[in-house]
Amino acid sequence: MRLLLSSAFLLLIACPAERPGEDPAADGGPAADAGSGTVDHGALAQEAVTELCQFIYGCFGESRLMQAFSSLGGAPMGAAGDCAIEVTESTEAVAHLAAALDNGRVQVDWDAWNQCAATMECSAALNEGSRGLPCSDAITGTVAEGDGCFSDVECAGSGLSHRCSSEGPQCGRCVPLQAEGEACDEEDDCRAGLTCPEDEDGPQVCVAAVSMLAAGAACDAENGPLEGNCDMWSDLICLAEEGQEVGTCTEATFDAQAGEFCFLFAGVFCSEGLVCPMTFMPDEENPPTCRQPVAAGETCLEGEGFAFMMTPCVEGYYCNEETMVCDSKKAIGASCEEDGECAEGSCGDDGMCGAKPFFGDDGRGDYQLCP
């Protein structure tokens, strides 16, 4: 998931679009402020980031698989309507983009962007094999290799062949991304179309990223149905016979009714409004079936070890594994172990519930014009 969001951020800080009701400039570029002859890059950036936020949140919110996973106790991604509140002038993605446009370090072919943005689809934009850069042809960074930068998007070839080495609130240099076979530490070190393996025992070099698999394709089922690289945006998961490590990308079903069998590893999910208990080892005498979410204070967890069965709670509550009942989700500042425990949906690295992060905020702070 981290790769999807970081790839989306590359788009976020790079892709303002023409706005409805604004007349484009004579050269086909963005509209100018009335009476001033200057372009309001701040307003354009804010609207652009909001639109892309809505696209990303919409992909998650409209995905039946994502909805089913969230019901199992995970943190919801957020609704598209949240973006208008979350994205402000001070959002780093907005401020960085506006500043880079102001000083000419980023240029956009507005016609190309508008055409691309109008046809973006979740399966393409959020495909790990493409590194989430479907509109990169519309964007040009002007900072050459070796010169100073603050954001990746300022670099010529950003996301494809180069990135900015900036860390925290400091300037960096435009440096080349690693080519296939070259050493890497994380996915973002590699050029477009490449990835850095997560296997710590294997060689840490950039290798070709695998695009999401279509229906019927063979998939790796060793780590469960969600890790087989099937196209989740088309409701595909990796299903395999018990004990088999190779499965097939199969479309999940979402129409099981109350009292009917449901099971993640069978690709069978409940109809809207019902939830399916989470278990790894279904009990033949008490199989998981679709039911109403558990009410506050009621028992939500049965069994132990791998033979447990956890039923999701009503909205605003989570299943406390220690008390085995549905407890209120925790406020900002409370201790936590999982995102699903927190009301705002984010359990930080410090073990404390925090505000739901917007994926355009990267912790660098105010934009700096680097020499």
Side-chain angles (χ1 to χ4, degrees):
M1 188 67 68
R2 184 184 63 81
L3 176 59
L4 295 181
L5 297 185
S6 62
S7 297
F9 173 63
L10 288 174
L11 286 174
L12 267 176
I13 62 175
C15 302
E18 182 178 315
R19 303 289 156 240
E22 294 179 341
D23 294 327
D27 61 358
D33 285 343
S36 69
T38 61
V39 177
D40 187 351
H41 287 141
L44 287 173
Q46 184 171 347
E47 292 188 40
V49 173
T50 299
E51 286 184 352
L52 192 56
C53 171
Q54 291 171 338
F55 170 75
I56 300 296
Y57 277 16
C59 286
F60 281 85
E62 295 170 11
S63 168
R64 294 183 296 180
L65 275 179
M66 291 297 104
Q67 293 172 12
F69 300 157
S70 292
S71 76
L72 294 175
M77 183 64 189
D82 295 340
C83 296
I85 299 173
E86 292 184 25
V87 181
T88 67
E89 291 181 359
S90 61
T91 300
E92 288 175 16
V94 175
H96 292 179
L97 172 57
L101 289 168
D102 279 339
N103 60 45
R105 293 194 166 205
V106 172
Q107 298 176 350
V108 178
D109 181 334
W110 301 99
D111 289 337
W113 160 249
N114 288 332
Q115 182 176 0
C116 176
T119 57
M120 276 197 298
E121 297 180 353
C122 300
S123 290
L126 303 180
N127 192 334
E128 294 188 11
S130 67
R131 290 183 62 84
L133 296 171
C135 295
S136 60
D137 290 345
I139 308 150
T140 302
T142 64
V143 179
E145 181 177 327
D147 289 345
C149 57
F150 192 68
S151 300
D152 287 346
V153 73
E154 296 176 284
C155 300
S158 64
L160 301 175
S161 60
H162 288 74
R163 67 175 178 85
C164 184
S165 65
S166 172
E167 294 184 3
Q170 298 177 346
C171 291
R173 298 284 175 182
C174 288
V175 297
L177 291 166
Q178 303 299 91
E180 188 168 5
E182 294 182 340
C184 59
D185 292 321
E186 56 186 30
E187 292 163 320
D188 293 340
D189 292 337
C190 302
R191 293 190 177 192
L194 304 176
T195 188
C196 192
E198 296 182 1
D199 184 5
E200 296 180 357
D201 297 329
Q204 294 296 103
V205 297
C206 294
V207 297
V210 179
S211 293
M212 288 187 295
L213 302 172
C219 53
D220 182 0
E222 182 177 5
N223 296 315
L226 312 184
E227 301 297 329
N229 200 39
C230 299
D231 184 358
M232 68 176 67
W233 309 109
S234 298
D235 292 335
L236 300 180
I237 60 177
C238 186
L239 298 184
E241 297 292 334
E242 185 175 356
Q244 298 297 310
E245 295 183 355
V246 177
T248 303
C249 289
T250 307
E251 185 173 358
T253 62
F254 300 86
D255 54 8
Q257 301 299 308
E260 294 182 346
F261 175 78
C262 58
F263 187 40
L264 167 65
F265 289 83
V268 179
F269 296 93
C270 303
S271 58
E272 186 174 357
L274 300 175
V275 297
C276 184
M278 178 63 182
T279 180
F280 290 118
M281 298 175 61
D283 183 348
E284 293 183 1
E285 297 182 359
N286 183 30
T289 58
C290 295
R291 59 196 66 184
Q292 294 292 329
V294 177
E298 298 295 327
T299 300
C300 54
L301 181 62
E302 304 173 49
E304 59 184 2
F306 283 102
F308 75 94
M309 188 159 70
M310 187 279 287
T311 303
C313 303
V314 293
E315 185 175 356
Y317 292 78
Y318 77 102
C319 188
N320 187 320
E321 295 183 14
E322 294 183 0
T323 63
M324 298 186 178
V325 300
C326 289
D327 283 344
S328 297
K329 289 195 173 185
K330 301 175 181 178
I332 292 176
S335 62
C336 59
E337 295 183 2
E338 302 289 343
D339 288 346
E341 299 176 23
C342 302
E344 295 294 328
S346 178
C347 182
D349 293 337
D350 58 358
M352 306 282 281
C353 286
K356 180 172 59 179
F358 174 62
F359 55 83
D361 292 334
D362 63 5
R364 280 178 294 179
D366 294 340
Y367 177 86
Q368 297 182 42
L369 180 60
C370 303

